[in-house]
Amino acid sequence: MNERYASLTAPAAARASNPATARVSTLAVALLASTTLGNPALAQSAPKAKAASAPASATAPANAPAAPAVAAPAEPVQLVRSITIDGAQRLEPDTIRSYIRLREGDRYTQAAADQVLKDLFATELFADVQVRNNAGAVTIQVKENPVVNRIILEGNKRLKEDKILPEIKLSARQIFTRSKVRADVSRIIELYKRQGRFAASVEPKMVMLDQNRVDIVFEITEGPKSKVRQINIIGNQQFSDTELRTEMVTKQARAFRLFSSGTSYDPDRLAFDQQKLRQFYLTKGYADFRVVSAVAELTPDKKDFIITYVVEEGKRYKFGDVKVDSQLREIDGDSLVKKLPMKAGDWYNAKLVEDTVDSLSETAGSLGYAFANVQPDFARNKDDLTMGITFRIADAPRVYVERVDVNGNTLTQDKVIRREFRLAEGDAFNSYQIKRSSNRIKSLGYFQEKFEVEQKPGTTPDRIALEANVEEKPTGELQLSAGFSSLESFIFQASIRQNNFRGRGQTLGLSVDYSYYSRSVQLSFTEPYLFDRNISMGVDVYRRDYNSFNYLNSNRNTTYKQTTTGFQIRAGVPLTEYMSLIGRYTFNIDDVTLDEATYYLNGTCSPLLAGRYLCDAIGHRTSSIFGTSVVYDTLDNRLRPTKGTSWLLSGDIAGLGGSVKYARITANAAHYWPVGKGFVFSLRGEGGAIEPLASRSSDPTVDDVRLTDRFFLGQPQMRGFDIRGVGPRVLRKYYSRNSDGTFGAITTDRNSWADDALGGRYYYIGHAELEIPLGAGAREMGLRPSIFMDAGAVWGVRRPATSTGVVLYTDALTGKITTAANASDGTANSTYQKYDEVFVGNSPQPRISIGIGVNWNSPFGPFRIDFAKVLKKVDGDDTQPITFNVGTQF
């Protein structure tokens, strides 16, 4: 680097030659040296200012004899005749004169000259100042501090510039001062300490430019991230070190905690862990527990920390007498005591006391006392080690809602939020309804999850203001999923949906599904509050194309095509706060066709070529379906529930118009439990049945419920199984071909079989799932793993007619597949294929799978992957161990 690139820690040099000038310059050197950035060696090497009465050359040798004391001559009186400023570039001379106390007509003394230096250096505008006096003509020679041209950061990889530059004082076009540089160095080091990098160092340097400008360069050595190598606990007798470490947020650095952020040292976390230890002991009855000291020591290599806690456990207490003293007329303290979770003789638990205070406050709030004060009074008896508690509920005025404020919504209309409030202006306050309002607003999915309705005092003591301070998030969803199935080959699904269309709370969606054998498109619209009344209305319009297939010589061949075009109109009204009634009407036009040239013999569908179950599905029909559903929902959040119950009971009747006649009933239910420390356990189940209302055929092998109306089960309802991989099906197994054209044994490669799922009249499925919380680092990444078990079955279809030992030929004249050994002119046809058909899977026995799954809010959108192991299946079921889907939001 050129000679203008200098370390900011180097002191300035004296630049005067005469004694008077030397004295002033030396003082400036000393002042500048004192601003060196934390470098004691440099600070000590800076020369000190000499006494005002001693010339710079009058330094006596150390071993010279002491001079006799002589009275100093009186300083002559000299008045300041003029003050001249030299060296100023950006500042006006008058501006500089305004910074000093010395004025024309004042007496000039050394003390006055020193004060000039102090005044000007205090402005931090000057790099050097010299004062010269010539018989009252005072000249102040200044050298202005340079202007910062730019700030350059070097070596910063873990902290980017956008995280550092806003935190420091210096910036482009500011006046350079060493104190600001020193403060910025400290600030940068502090930022790295917050990242757990306590070995970080910063070396500031300055590049001199023309026109008195400088570039400031901060050379950063980040160093390794400081980990917690060891956590020692001294004084614990009742609980092991491992038990206590488990309660702490800070964890010891170990290989299996590679992705955990809890292994980094954080002083704030150290203080929090002391509170965690105290909370743990208080829940175990140790009311006298205290942390005597907590010391964090940096290892000699400055890479890791060793933390040592000294604790004093004290004695273990039990609950004594527990009472409730209520001054509110509506609350009877004696009756509440019977409902309290703690009883005399139980081990003392501070968490129960805290929960009881919250419960009593909520009870008072549900009666309209928003500001009821519940205080526990403790009566500690150290003789018998009991802790008596009296919960005192102070008298308070009944509170009413004065106003409801909605803030932060830029897209969503106010009415969309306000209509979810269970309280309105003038209503009596009710804490339960406030909580319910918060849950309903969160369940909309339009706002960030950390939302609560805030309570603010009103204009009078009996009034309260409710504030909904929302933070909107993207409500558009673009979901993409892809996969590979042995049945469908490549699968692609995409949907785009706006859940808050035009900020009115409406939902508008378009979905497209595509695979090797199926395609569908659906457009839907939902208005949750029709004409601003609590009535929901929705409509779906769709088109679905389904191609069934089989295999011949491992070649996939389409056997029939089904197209369904239809619409559904639905409306819903609330019955209670948690229950709703939904009515719907669905009209479908189904058209199932088959290639007559390939699969028809003598003008009719041949079961030997296409299968009886496929021939049975051919035709044109219409379905007119009326249905109703009853919905019950107490979930705290419909999008990501942690507690509550929901169930749905639906019934449909087809036959009031149309050519299809059946009755169908389905039900599903779910319950969620928070299982402490972030775990959420859920049980979900569903089932259904369909019964025909008319007979379709006298043939006992023909089921009266059409193939397209039956229930199917598999992925994604049951993880571990392929799409429609569970339940009744017909497998057409082909024989291998020998080199001489004859047939050998049946092939064992399932992918070469024709696999047609038939569905069933009845089904059930259950899920048990435990969501596992991870550390703070994983939560920030949006990772939510879970373990699950799925069990279910579908069955009840009539046994179809099947064939064995069927030989297919290639017609010598037409080239089409036929069952005839000879062509129409008597020519022998060549053999094409031979197969056996088996009917399997028609059993109510549960299929069971277990596995693990991970939800990840990735940078490119929500991602879900499941790994499943099938524990129990029935012959014919098709498994799929890995599934995933990915989406994004906008």
Side-chain angles (χ1 to χ4, degrees), residues 53-79:
S53 60
S57 59
T59 303
N63 57 356
V70 180
E75 186 176 350
V77 176
Q78 197 171 59
L79 299 180

PDB file of all heavy atoms in Angstrom, residues 53-79:
ATOM      1  N   SER A  53       6.342  27.037  31.623  1.00  0.00           N
ATOM      2  CA  SER A  53       7.453  27.938  31.908  1.00  0.00           C
ATOM      3  C   SER A  53       8.788  27.385  31.468  1.00  0.00           C
ATOM      4  O   SER A  53       9.802  28.061  31.596  1.00  0.00           O
ATOM      5  CB  SER A  53       7.498  28.243  33.418  1.00  0.00           C
ATOM      6  OG  SER A  53       7.669  27.026  34.132  1.00  0.00           O
ATOM      7  N   ALA A  54       8.825  26.139  30.937  1.00  0.00           N
ATOM      8  CA  ALA A  54      10.101  25.527  30.573  1.00  0.00           C
ATOM      9  C   ALA A  54      10.202  25.425  29.081  1.00  0.00           C
ATOM     10  O   ALA A  54       9.303  24.948  28.422  1.00  0.00           O
ATOM     11  CB  ALA A  54      10.231  24.156  31.220  1.00  0.00           C
ATOM     12  N   PRO A  55      11.284  25.865  28.489  1.00  0.00           N
ATOM     13  CA  PRO A  55      11.480  25.710  27.051  1.00  0.00           C
ATOM     14  C   PRO A  55      11.701  24.259  26.712  1.00  0.00           C
ATOM     15  O   PRO A  55      12.086  23.449  27.529  1.00  0.00           O
ATOM     16  CB  PRO A  55      12.709  26.563  26.767  1.00  0.00           C
ATOM     17  CG  PRO A  55      13.427  26.620  28.067  1.00  0.00           C
ATOM     18  CD  PRO A  55      12.398  26.589  29.128  1.00  0.00           C
ATOM     19  N   ALA A  56      11.468  23.915  25.434  1.00  0.00           N
ATOM     20  CA  ALA A  56      11.557  22.524  25.016  1.00  0.00           C
ATOM     21  C   ALA A  56      12.951  21.976  25.149  1.00  0.00           C
ATOM     22  O   ALA A  56      13.156  20.791  25.335  1.00  0.00           O
ATOM     23  CB  ALA A  56      11.094  22.394  23.560  1.00  0.00           C
ATOM     24  N   SER A  57      14.011  22.811  25.089  1.00  0.00           N
ATOM     25  CA  SER A  57      15.397  22.345  25.135  1.00  0.00           C
ATOM     26  C   SER A  57      15.974  22.328  26.525  1.00  0.00           C
ATOM     27  O   SER A  57      17.156  22.044  26.709  1.00  0.00           O
ATOM     28  CB  SER A  57      16.268  23.242  24.248  1.00  0.00           C
ATOM     29  OG  SER A  57      16.185  24.578  24.709  1.00  0.00           O
ATOM     30  N   ALA A  58      15.188  22.626  27.558  1.00  0.00           N
ATOM     31  CA  ALA A  58      15.725  22.792  28.903  1.00  0.00           C
ATOM     32  C   ALA A  58      15.653  21.526  29.717  1.00  0.00           C
ATOM     33  O   ALA A  58      15.625  21.571  30.928  1.00  0.00           O
ATOM     34  CB  ALA A  58      14.990  23.913  29.622  1.00  0.00           C
ATOM     35  N   THR A  59      15.594  20.386  29.088  1.00  0.00           N
ATOM     36  CA  THR A  59      15.514  19.138  29.843  1.00  0.00           C
ATOM     37  C   THR A  59      16.879  18.804  30.410  1.00  0.00           C
ATOM     38  O   THR A  59      17.850  18.660  29.677  1.00  0.00           O
ATOM     39  CB  THR A  59      15.045  18.009  28.930  1.00  0.00           C
ATOM     40  OG1 THR A  59      13.790  18.377  28.360  1.00  0.00           O
ATOM     41  CG2 THR A  59      14.899  16.715  29.693  1.00  0.00           C
ATOM     42  N   ALA A  60      17.011  18.670  31.735  1.00  0.00           N
ATOM     43  CA  ALA A  60      18.289  18.394  32.404  1.00  0.00           C
ATOM     44  C   ALA A  60      18.544  16.911  32.449  1.00  0.00           C
ATOM     45  O   ALA A  60      17.619  16.125  32.453  1.00  0.00           O
ATOM     46  CB  ALA A  60      18.267  18.975  33.816  1.00  0.00           C
ATOM     47  N   PRO A  61      19.805  16.493  32.468  1.00  0.00           N
ATOM     48  CA  PRO A  61      20.117  15.069  32.610  1.00  0.00           C
ATOM     49  C   PRO A  61      19.558  14.536  33.917  1.00  0.00           C
ATOM     50  O   PRO A  61      19.389  15.262  34.894  1.00  0.00           O
ATOM     51  CB  PRO A  61      21.653  15.024  32.587  1.00  0.00           C
ATOM     52  CG  PRO A  61      22.058  16.306  31.942  1.00  0.00           C
ATOM     53  CD  PRO A  61      21.032  17.312  32.306  1.00  0.00           C
ATOM     54  N   ALA A  62      19.353  13.229  33.933  1.00  0.00           N
ATOM     55  CA  ALA A  62      18.735  12.613  35.114  1.00  0.00           C
ATOM     56  C   ALA A  62      19.637  12.680  36.322  1.00  0.00           C
ATOM     57  O   ALA A  62      19.177  12.758  37.462  1.00  0.00           O
ATOM     58  CB  ALA A  62      18.378  11.155  34.797  1.00  0.00           C
ATOM     59  N   ASN A  63      21.010  12.678  36.150  1.00  0.00           N
ATOM     60  CA  ASN A  63      21.921  12.671  37.292  1.00  0.00           C
ATOM     61  C   ASN A  63      22.458  14.057  37.625  1.00  0.00           C
ATOM     62  O   ASN A  63      23.408  14.202  38.391  1.00  0.00           O
ATOM     63  CB  ASN A  63      23.087  11.712  37.022  1.00  0.00           C
ATOM     64  CG  ASN A  63      23.832  12.095  35.732  1.00  0.00           C
ATOM     65  OD1 ASN A  63      23.408  13.019  35.032  1.00  0.00           O
ATOM     66  ND2 ASN A  63      24.927  11.388  35.449  1.00  0.00           N
ATOM     67  N   ALA A  64      21.885  15.109  37.038  1.00  0.00           N
ATOM     68  CA  ALA A  64      22.359  16.469  37.334  1.00  0.00           C
ATOM     69  C   ALA A  64      21.911  16.865  38.713  1.00  0.00           C
ATOM     70  O   ALA A  64      20.825  16.489  39.156  1.00  0.00           O
ATOM     71  CB  ALA A  64      21.809  17.451  36.295  1.00  0.00           C
ATOM     72  N   PRO A  65      22.744  17.677  39.419  1.00  0.00           N
ATOM     73  CA  PRO A  65      22.346  18.132  40.754  1.00  0.00           C
ATOM     74  C   PRO A  65      21.181  19.078  40.686  1.00  0.00           C
ATOM     75  O   PRO A  65      20.978  19.787  39.708  1.00  0.00           O
ATOM     76  CB  PRO A  65      23.605  18.834  41.270  1.00  0.00           C
ATOM     77  CG  PRO A  65      24.336  19.240  40.040  1.00  0.00           C
ATOM     78  CD  PRO A  65      24.102  18.185  39.026  1.00  0.00           C
ATOM     79  N   ALA A  66      20.376  19.057  41.753  1.00  0.00           N
ATOM     80  CA  ALA A  66      19.174  19.906  41.775  1.00  0.00           C
ATOM     81  C   ALA A  66      19.570  21.367  41.777  1.00  0.00           C
ATOM     82  O   ALA A  66      20.483  21.790  42.486  1.00  0.00           O
ATOM     83  CB  ALA A  66      18.342  19.592  43.018  1.00  0.00           C
ATOM     84  N   ALA A  67      18.900  22.159  40.954  1.00  0.00           N
ATOM     85  CA  ALA A  67      19.170  23.595  40.887  1.00  0.00           C
ATOM     86  C   ALA A  67      18.532  24.287  42.074  1.00  0.00           C
ATOM     87  O   ALA A  67      17.483  23.877  42.550  1.00  0.00           O
ATOM     88  CB  ALA A  67      18.621  24.170  39.578  1.00  0.00           C
ATOM     89  N   PRO A  68      19.189  25.346  42.561  1.00  0.00           N
ATOM     90  CA  PRO A  68      18.597  26.071  43.680  1.00  0.00           C
ATOM     91  C   PRO A  68      17.296  26.742  43.274  1.00  0.00           C
ATOM     92  O   PRO A  68      17.124  27.156  42.138  1.00  0.00           O
ATOM     93  CB  PRO A  68      19.668  27.102  44.040  1.00  0.00           C
ATOM     94  CG  PRO A  68      20.452  27.268  42.793  1.00  0.00           C
ATOM     95  CD  PRO A  68      20.482  25.938  42.126  1.00  0.00           C
ATOM     96  N   ALA A  69      16.370  26.797  44.210  1.00  0.00           N
ATOM     97  CA  ALA A  69      15.066  27.410  43.932  1.00  0.00           C
ATOM     98  C   ALA A  69      15.209  28.881  43.665  1.00  0.00           C
ATOM     99  O   ALA A  69      15.813  29.604  44.445  1.00  0.00           O
ATOM    100  CB  ALA A  69      14.112  27.176  45.097  1.00  0.00           C
ATOM    101  N   VAL A  70      14.684  29.338  42.524  1.00  0.00           N
ATOM    102  CA  VAL A  70      14.741  30.741  42.138  1.00  0.00           C
ATOM    103  C   VAL A  70      13.337  31.188  41.805  1.00  0.00           C
ATOM    104  O   VAL A  70      12.602  30.500  41.091  1.00  0.00           O
ATOM    105  CB  VAL A  70      15.666  30.951  40.921  1.00  0.00           C
ATOM    106  CG1 VAL A  70      15.701  32.420  40.534  1.00  0.00           C
ATOM    107  CG2 VAL A  70      17.054  30.444  41.227  1.00  0.00           C
ATOM    108  N   ALA A  71      12.930  32.296  42.291  1.00  0.00           N
ATOM    109  CA  ALA A  71      11.582  32.805  42.028  1.00  0.00           C
ATOM    110  C   ALA A  71      11.420  33.106  40.548  1.00  0.00           C
ATOM    111  O   ALA A  71      12.303  33.725  39.938  1.00  0.00           O
ATOM    112  CB  ALA A  71      11.312  34.059  42.858  1.00  0.00           C
ATOM    113  N   ALA A  72      10.303  32.672  39.937  1.00  0.00           N
ATOM    114  CA  ALA A  72      10.049  32.907  38.523  1.00  0.00           C
ATOM    115  C   ALA A  72       9.773  34.371  38.291  1.00  0.00           C
ATOM    116  O   ALA A  72       9.083  35.017  39.076  1.00  0.00           O
ATOM    117  CB  ALA A  72       8.855  32.082  38.070  1.00  0.00           C
ATOM    118  N   PRO A  73      10.354  34.905  37.187  1.00  0.00           N
ATOM    119  CA  PRO A  73      10.097  36.325  36.909  1.00  0.00           C
ATOM    120  C   PRO A  73       8.630  36.542  36.552  1.00  0.00           C
ATOM    121  O   PRO A  73       7.975  35.673  35.989  1.00  0.00           O
ATOM    122  CB  PRO A  73      11.002  36.594  35.715  1.00  0.00           C
ATOM    123  CG  PRO A  73      11.210  35.264  35.064  1.00  0.00           C
ATOM    124  CD  PRO A  73      11.232  34.291  36.179  1.00  0.00           C
ATOM    125  N   ALA A  74       8.119  37.679  36.894  1.00  0.00           N
ATOM    126  CA  ALA A  74       6.715  38.001  36.619  1.00  0.00           C
ATOM    127  C   ALA A  74       6.475  38.073  35.115  1.00  0.00           C
ATOM    128  O   ALA A  74       7.294  38.626  34.373  1.00  0.00           O
ATOM    129  CB  ALA A  74       6.343  39.340  37.276  1.00  0.00           C
ATOM    130  N   GLU A  75       5.369  37.454  34.673  1.00  0.00           N
ATOM    131  CA  GLU A  75       5.032  37.438  33.242  1.00  0.00           C
ATOM    132  C   GLU A  75       4.541  38.825  32.835  1.00  0.00           C
ATOM    133  O   GLU A  75       3.660  39.396  33.469  1.00  0.00           O
ATOM    134  CB  GLU A  75       3.936  36.393  33.003  1.00  0.00           C
ATOM    135  CG  GLU A  75       3.619  36.181  31.529  1.00  0.00           C
ATOM    136  CD  GLU A  75       2.616  35.075  31.329  1.00  0.00           C
ATOM    137  OE1 GLU A  75       2.322  34.365  32.314  1.00  0.00           O
ATOM    138  OE2 GLU A  75       2.137  34.900  30.198  1.00  0.00           O
ATOM    139  N   PRO A  76       5.130  39.404  31.773  1.00  0.00           N
ATOM    140  CA  PRO A  76       4.722  40.755  31.380  1.00  0.00           C
ATOM    141  C   PRO A  76       3.273  40.778  30.903  1.00  0.00           C
ATOM    142  O   PRO A  76       2.803  39.816  30.309  1.00  0.00           O
ATOM    143  CB  PRO A  76       5.673  41.082  30.235  1.00  0.00           C
ATOM    144  CG  PRO A  76       6.108  39.755  29.709  1.00  0.00           C
ATOM    145  CD  PRO A  76       6.156  38.852  30.890  1.00  0.00           C
ATOM    146  N   VAL A  77       2.594  41.858  31.180  1.00  0.00           N
ATOM    147  CA  VAL A  77       1.199  42.015  30.766  1.00  0.00           C
ATOM    148  C   VAL A  77       1.171  42.375  29.284  1.00  0.00           C
ATOM    149  O   VAL A  77       1.843  43.318  28.852  1.00  0.00           O
ATOM    150  CB  VAL A  77       0.494  43.108  31.592  1.00  0.00           C
ATOM    151  CG1 VAL A  77      -0.930  43.323  31.081  1.00  0.00           C
ATOM    152  CG2 VAL A  77       0.493  42.740  33.046  1.00  0.00           C
ATOM    153  N   GLN A  78       0.397  41.556  28.528  1.00  0.00           N
ATOM    154  CA  GLN A  78       0.329  41.775  27.079  1.00  0.00           C
ATOM    155  C   GLN A  78      -1.111  41.585  26.637  1.00  0.00           C
ATOM    156  O   GLN A  78      -1.745  40.573  26.941  1.00  0.00           O
ATOM    157  CB  GLN A  78       1.243  40.766  26.372  1.00  0.00           C
ATOM    158  CG  GLN A  78       1.565  41.154  24.945  1.00  0.00           C
ATOM    159  CD  GLN A  78       2.646  40.257  24.365  1.00  0.00           C
ATOM    160  OE1 GLN A  78       2.461  39.048  24.312  1.00  0.00           O
ATOM    161  NE2 GLN A  78       3.767  40.836  24.000  1.00  0.00           N
ATOM    162  N   LEU A  79      -1.658  42.545  25.925  1.00  0.00           N
ATOM    163  CA  LEU A  79      -3.035  42.481  25.458  1.00  0.00           C
ATOM    164  C   LEU A  79      -3.083  41.961  24.025  1.00  0.00           C
ATOM    165  O   LEU A  79      -2.185  42.201  23.227  1.00  0.00           O
ATOM    166  CB  LEU A  79      -3.690  43.864  25.525  1.00  0.00           C
ATOM    167  CG  LEU A  79      -3.781  44.508  26.914  1.00  0.00           C
ATOM    168  CD1 LEU A  79      -4.450  45.867  26.832  1.00  0.00           C
ATOM    169  CD2 LEU A  79      -4.523  43.596  27.878  1.00  0.00           C
TER     170      LEU A  79
END
